[in-house]
Each structure stands twice: as C-alpha cells, then as structure tokens.
Amino acid sequence: MIILAFDTCFGACSAAVYGANANNTLAQRFEVMDKGHSERLIPMLAEVLAGAGCALRDVSTLAVTVGPGSFTGVRTGLAVARSLVLAHACEIRGTTSLHVMAAGVRAMRAEGPIAIAVATRDDLVYFAAFEGTELAQTVAPCLATPRDAARRIATSPHTIAGSGATLVAAVHSAGDCAHRVITEPVFARADLLAGMTVRLPVLAPPRPLYLREADAKPAAAGTLTFAPAP
Amino acid sequence: MTGGANPAGSCLVLGIETSCDETAAAVVARDGPGRGRILSNVVRSQWEQHRAFGGVVPELAARAHVECLDELIAEALTTAGIGLRDLDAVAATAGPGLIGGLIVGLTSAKALAFAADKPLVAVNHLEAHALTVGLTEGLLPPYLLLLVSGGHTQILGVEGVGRYARVATTIDDALGEAFDKTAKLLGLPQPGGPHVERMARTGDATRFDLPRPMAGREEPHFSFAGLKTAVRRRAQELGQLTPQDVADLCAAFELAVTESVADRCRKAFRWAQLRGLPRHLVIAGGVAANQRLRAGLDVVAADADWTLHVPPVALCTDNGAMIAWAGAERFARGLIDPLDVAPRARWPLDATAIPALGHGRLGAKA
C-alpha cells in the first residue's frame, strides 16, 4: 500500500511517499515557503514519486491536510487532491493541519496533552488540542483569541507549539496549570501526515476547513429614491 | 517551452476557466486543417453566492470554484464521451483575473496534466476571447477585435495566435462594469447588463442628454466612469424616480455607450487600415450580448465596408470552450507550458502597449 501525502496549508510545502506495509517513508521533500505553493507542489509530487521509484498509478491512497491555513494554500492542496483522484481513482484520507503539527510535536518526544496555536495577522490563533498516543482531539480546531484558547486548556498542563504558542501561554491566569511552550517552528509535514494516514478517515470529497468567513460586506443601499410601482 | 501536436495536427483539449465568477470546463476537438468542434461545454455561474454583496467577492469566488470544479470537469469529459487519456492537452486560464480563482483552475489543470501525462497549456483569458471566432465560424487572424466584458474593454489587432497589438483600452471602468454600476445606482438587479438592456427597451433614449465619452479623440481609448456619474446626476435631479424615468435613463445610457464605442471603432478602423488588416471586426466578451450595441456596430461596420462577426452569446461570456480552443490553437503550434507555471492576475496580451491611465502600481491589468 503506497501513500502519497502532501501539505500546503501554512508556510511550507511538503510531499512524501510512504510504504504503509513496511511503515517507512520512501521519499520526501519539505521546503519552507510563504507563497508559490501552487507552482511548487506538482513538480514536488513528481520528484517524490520518482525518488520512491514509483508512479502515480502505484499510489493507493492520497493524504491531505484540509486546513486551517492560508486560504490559497488550503485550496491548492485540495484542488490537486481532487484532480488527482479524477485522473486516478484512489481514496483520499485527510486531517487538519493542526493535527499533523501535533504529531510533529509528539515526535519531539513531548509527553502529555499537546496544543497547537498558529498566530494570524490579526492577533488571533488557529487552535486545537490533542491527547494520547493516537492524538485524539480534545479541543476541535477553531479560530480564537489567545485568551479563549488558554481558557480551553486551563485545567491540564499542555505542551503548546506553533507560532501562536507564546501568545497563548502569555495570557496564563493565576490558578491555571503551567504549560510548556515549544518555540521552534512546527510544520504539518507530509512525512508525518503519511505515517498517520491509515488511521485517518476517508474524505469523499475532501472539503476545505477555513475556520474564517470570507471578508465581504453586504452591498450598501443606494442613495436614490424610487416611486412605488403604479 | 514547445512540444508537439500529433502529426495530423488534430487534437482533443480540455479547457478550464475560473478567472472570475463562472466555473467552467469544456472539451473541444481541433482537426488537422484547424477547424474546431465543441464536444462539451459546462458552465456553473456563482452569481447567487455574490448577489448579497452587489458584486463578485474574490474569496467567495475562489471557495466556490474549488467546491465544484472537479465535478464540472468530470461532467465535461462524460458529455464529450471521452476519458482523460483520450486528451492531447489540458488547458486552463492562467490570467488575467482574480488570483484565488486562477490558482484553483490552473493548479487543477496541472494535477490532471501530471496524472494523465499530458501537456499543459496556460491560456490567457483575453486570447481565448480573441480566438473564439475561429471556433465558431472558422475566421482566422488577422482581424480587429473589440473585447467588451465586465473586466475588460479593449480593441486589439489580432495578428496571429500569440501576436496581438493593443489599439485601445479603457482608462477607467470596463464597459460591463459601467453597466453593473448603472444598474446598481438605478436600483436594478445584478448583473446589470441584461437588466439595463431590458429596461432600455421601453425607454426614450432622447429624453436625457448624456455625454459620449472620448468621442472624437484621436487615440481610440475608452472611458465610462464619467458617463456613470452623469447618469447619477440626472437621476438625482429627478428626485423620486418612476419606472419610466429608470427606463429612459437606461435607454440614454445604452445609446451613449453605443455611440461612444462606435466612435472608438471608427478610429480603430483607420489604425487597422494603416496596418493593412482585412476588414473584419470581431466582438467578444459578455457585453457583446447587448443588442443595441451590436446593432450600432453593425451600422458602423457596414458604413465603413467592414464585416461584423459576433460569436453566440454563450461563447461571448466566460466559458471553458474558448479556453479549450485557445489551448488547442497553442498546442497545435507547439506552445505548451511547464507544470510550475505561475498564474498572473495581470497579464496584458500586448506586453509592449503603454499602460493607459489607472493601471495601478502593479502595471497594466490587461
């Protein structure tokens, strides 16, 4: 069983080919980038498949991150996944970017509950929390203020990671338990996603998880007045 | 980058369009001598999702594209009775347009091209409008093109596939945009073009004297922002507007637009004659659906001994067939693109044209 995993949600683009029978990564690429995911992703998929010595037709499962992330990044990954399935009928499994980041934190030998907080430009955080070896979700992904995020995990000590981790830890109130903050960057790396894939749900089709409405205001009424219809 | 069409020059191309608020996919066949045939053409308008906002919201458009594009592509292939492996190339609009939507369509096309091992053709949306008449009536360049849509208003000398000379462009609003804004201020629903046209049918075009923007100017550029403001002033002077007032204003607006565009085309005819272009005027873009504009241009063309060519309305508004056709025309000439090609929100067809006013710090839009 060959898994092709990729992620384009936040500030990196990554892809991995994984042999689920032997539980090993056959090939992977990981590049930090703020933009240009849609240009890089397909060549990167070609590179990892070639590196693993296989072709797309050998892939039995695609694994994707559905968000949250930059809106464009989220769509890039899902547009590619949905088109690949159109061309090569295989299954798609997936999860949130925050879940894969938590797997990254666990891989750093962090024990106990894990919270992921990714800072947004308007001082909010994309937030979720997980526990146990299977990283069961204890706080569902949400867009929250650092204060609200801190409140959700106030009763048990968590390892908090992500670009918003210090924001969440900073609003620690008296009586809250002490958290541990990981300051090194964490990413939703495709090789981690690939390793989780067999436990993830099948998504048919995968749909974006934006956690934020589009920025749009209803049209203002005009200034002219109209006679009632005769 | 270049690649090869098959020896006979015939090809089957999938076209994907996501540059604004229509999600579209189509399959077009091009035969050896260069004739085109539409095998399928699926378009889904998102207008209902944008209605409450009074215009297209880019992020909503991008969200809608990614939700339904794969279904539309599957439908286009099924209707055409072919599978991906039967295609010779995958084409998608790469610009100009709303970047979020362009990324969805172009990235999907790359994934399909990669998965099916087919060449990718990154199509300029304006080039697709420009070449549509080759698909619909076999008219091949050179000719003069008037492109009038919600996002673009240009006159181009179409010299050949990939070779365009911009004769004129708008220095402010696009013509379709002017229709939309006029409809909005007169309390008519969006999209404004069809509603202004419907109201204008029962209106008296002579009751209000509106300006003919740019008329008489030597360079055949367009301007519509002032015309829209003039409509607003006349409406404000009336106080409370009756349905007849609205109809008369719509008729006057339509007449002013038609006469302005006609004047600009006459100027462009002179430019075309100096260049030795044959006397064919092609209209493309959604505003080409306007009957009064067509009739007005028919007269202008006939007076100057030119022939007017207008594709069917469904192929004037945004659609996948024109993208597939432009893709086929490029593919047949060996023009294909690498899988890391970037979408371009701004992509003028004539890179040498001097930007007109209002092009912004990022350069000419189109």
Side-chain angles (χ1 to χ4, degrees):
Chain A
M1 179 181 177
I2 301 284
I3 294 165
L4 174 64
F6 47 92
D7 164 72
T8 50
C9 283
F10 286 113
C13 181
S14 61
V17 179
Y18 188 84
N21 300 332
N23 283 335
N24 67 324
T25 303
L26 302 174
Q28 62 132 338
R29 285 273 193 286
F30 170 82
E31 292 169 17
V32 173
M33 62 176 72
D34 285 330
K35 54 181 184 176
H37 302 75
S38 78
E39 286 95 291
R40 187 67 187 100
L41 181 57
I42 300 292
M44 191 181 267
L45 296 182
E47 289 162 23
V48 292
L49 285 167
C54 55
L56 189 64
R57 66 177 169 277
D58 304 320
V59 171
S60 54
T61 304
L62 294 178
V64 292
T65 45
V66 297
S70 81
F71 296 162
T72 290
V74 168
R75 279 192 287 270
T76 294
L78 294 190
V80 167
R82 290 170 74 144
S83 295
L84 290 180
V85 164
L86 202 61
H88 166 66
C90 59
E91 64 175 14
I92 305 183
R93 292 174 186 261
T95 188
T96 67
S97 54
L98 305 180
H99 191 197
V100 181
M101 292 163 85
V105 175
R106 182 68 83 226
M108 295 173 184
R109 299 179 183 279
E111 290 175 4
I114 293 168
I116 303 294
V118 179
T120 68
R121 267 179 281 178
D122 50 356
D123 299 323
L124 299 174
V125 287
Y126 288 117
F127 186 78
F130 307 88
E131 67 177 14
T133 49
E134 303 276 298
L135 292 168
Q137 194 172 279
T138 53
V139 176
C142 57
L143 182 65
T145 61
R147 183 166 301 281
D148 283 342
R151 202 168 289 146
R152 308 290 295 273
I153 54 168
T155 54
S156 63
H158 279 66
T159 300
I160 316 177
S163 57
T166 50
L167 288 176
V168 173
V171 289
H172 189 266
S173 310
D176 289 356
C177 58
H179 299 304
R180 174 185 167 214
V181 172
I182 289 185
T183 51
E184 48 274 53
V186 290
F187 295 96
R189 296 178 62 113
D191 54 339
L192 295 166
L193 169 63
M196 302 161 73
T197 302
V198 293
R199 301 191 304 273
L200 297 176
V202 172
L203 308 173
R207 309 190 66 177
L209 181 72
Y210 296 110
L211 293 179
R212 193 194 271 270
E213 294 301 313
D215 185 16
K217 291 187 180 64
T223 53
L224 298 173
T225 55
F226 298 92
Chain B
M1 194 168 167
T2 58
N6 62 44
S10 66
C11 55
L12 265 182
V13 178
L14 170 70
I16 295 171
E17 159 62 33
T18 56
S19 68
C20 191
D21 64 334
E22 300 338 302
T23 315
V27 177
V28 162
R30 182 187 185 280
D31 68 13
R35 285 175 304 233
R37 193 160 57 89
I38 298 173
L39 303 187
S40 63
N41 190 20
V42 189
V43 182
R44 190 169 300 174
S45 170
Q46 307 171 355
W47 179 251
E48 286 308 316
Q49 296 172 59
H50 300 279
R51 182 187 292 281
F53 304 99
V56 176
V57 180
E59 174 60 20
L60 286 183
R63 289 183 179 197
H65 289 309
V66 80
E67 289 285 350
C68 70
L69 180 59
D70 56 347
E71 274 173 48
L72 262 65
I73 293 169
E75 192 182 330
L77 291 169
T78 305
T79 306
I82 63 163
L84 273 173
R85 76 178 72 79
D86 302 314
L87 292 171
D88 293 291
V90 179
T93 306
L98 301 173
I99 193 70
L102 292 172
I103 288 174
V104 170
L106 182 60
T107 308
S108 298
K110 288 175 182 176
L112 291 173
F114 167 64
D117 197 19
K118 306 291 179 184
L120 173 76
V121 186
V123 171
N124 181 308
H125 181 89
L126 305 179
E127 175 166 51
H129 276 303
L131 299 178
T132 299
V133 75
L135 171 64
T136 57
E137 53 181 286
L139 181 68
L140 300 177
Y143 47 78
L144 195 65
L145 173 79
L146 170 68
L147 174 60
V148 277
S149 69
H152 308 283
T153 302
Q154 303 198 336
I155 300 177
L156 291 158
V158 178
E159 291 160 355
V161 173
R163 291 187 292 127
Y164 306 91
R166 197 202 68 195
V167 185
T169 186
T170 178
I171 61 170
D172 42 54
D173 292 350
L175 184 50
E177 192 181 358
F179 269 94
D180 287 345
K181 288 178 175 175
T182 297
K184 201 188 235 176
L185 80 93
L186 293 177
L188 301 173
Q190 298 286 320
H195 290 100
V196 169
E197 183 171 14
R198 195 167 308 136
M199 286 303 285
R201 270 182 220 141
T202 59
D204 172 6
T206 62
R207 179 175 157 207
F208 298 101
D209 187 24
L210 294 175
R212 305 292 187 257
M214 311 296 275
R217 298 265 195 104
E218 208 42 51
E219 205 177 22
H221 284 330
F222 300 90
S223 166
F224 298 108
L227 180 57
K228 170 202 69 196
T229 306
V231 173
R232 186 197 303 278
R233 290 229 179 85
R234 299 288 184 285
Q236 281 165 341
E237 285 159 15
L238 292 172
Q240 208 177 43
L241 296 181
T242 65
Q244 192 58 50
D245 293 334
V246 172
D248 293 346
L249 282 165
C250 285
F253 170 79
E254 219 179 43
L255 180 64
V257 159
T258 300
E259 292 194 350
S260 173
V261 173
D263 176 77
R264 311 288 69 208
C265 286
R266 272 187 223 105
K267 287 284 188 294
F269 288 167
R270 246 185 269 163
W271 176 92
Q273 276 163 287
L274 287 174
R275 293 267 189 128
L277 250 61
R279 297 179 169 220
H280 294 288
L281 175 64
V282 174
I283 325 181
V287 189
N290 185 283
Q291 294 300 324
R292 187 191 290 248
L293 181 68
R294 276 189 197 212
L297 292 175
D298 225 357
V299 171
V300 170
D303 284 352
D305 203 18
W306 278 60
T307 318
L308 189 67
H309 303 263
V310 193
V313 172
L315 296 175
C316 280
T317 51
D318 290 352
N319 65 88
M322 70 176 189
I323 304 303
W325 175 247
E329 285 287 82
R330 293 186 71 83
F331 175 74
R333 288 161 179 79
L335 301 169
I336 62 172
D337 295 276
L339 293 179
D340 64 353
V341 65
R344 297 173 63 179
R346 292 168 182 246
W347 187 3
L349 267 186
D350 178 353
T352 65
I354 300 159
L357 292 176
H359 53 86
R361 67 184 170 84
L362 298 175
K365 281 183 187 166

